[in-house]
Amino acid sequence: MFRQAIQRASAAFGSRLRPLAIGQPVRRMANTTDDGQFKSWKPLAPTLRQRRMTSRKELHKGGPVRELTVAKRRTGGRNNTGRITCRHRGGGAKRRIRL
């Protein structure tokens, strides 16, 4: 059914529409430039014309360094006397907070 729709669309639009093969990655045009100080966008929309953002090229791309994190203490739905005051809390994975 999907292939028939593609064939009908390609017949209607001719060479303007080229169907992608299944699993083929979609190639997108680069619409940003990064000069090392600012990241800017091509004006594809009026809001992007003046848009600038500080460059983050030099930032660490890996995960958080464990020495720079602390454990996030959780209550498990219990108050200061240890009684459950909020149901269905508790368990789950341990969490850490970046400093």
Side-chain angles (χ1 to χ4, degrees):
M1 186 167 144
F2 181 70
R3 291 183 190 273
Q4 293 171 354
I6 290 177
Q7 289 172 352
R8 273 187 263 129
S10 63
F13 293 104
S15 63
R16 289 185 293 161
L17 179 67
R18 186 177 62 87
L20 293 173
I22 305 297
Q24 180 180 358
V26 178
R27 294 182 61 194
R28 301 184 196 283
M29 292 175 46
N31 58 355
T32 60
T33 57
D34 194 348
D35 61 1
Q37 187 176 8
F38 290 106
K39 180 177 180 181
S40 59
W41 281 259
K42 288 184 180 178
L44 300 176
T47 57
L48 294 178
R49 186 174 299 278
Q50 305 299 327
R51 185 171 180 181
R52 302 289 182 273
M53 190 171 84
T54 56
S55 178
R56 298 179 177 174
K57 277 182 169 181
E58 66 278 354
L59 294 182
H60 176 63
K61 294 197 173 36
V65 179
R66 188 169 175 89
E67 292 82 32
L68 299 177
T69 62
V70 293
K72 180 176 186 284
R73 302 294 176 200
R74 299 169 72 173
T75 62
R78 287 155 174 80
N79 64 4
N80 60 340
T81 62
R83 293 176 181 244
I84 294 178
T85 56
C86 186
R87 302 188 309 167
H88 312 301
R89 297 272 179 113
K94 289 186 178 181
R95 306 283 181 180
R96 297 189 71 81
I97 301 174
R98 290 179 176 164
L99 294 178

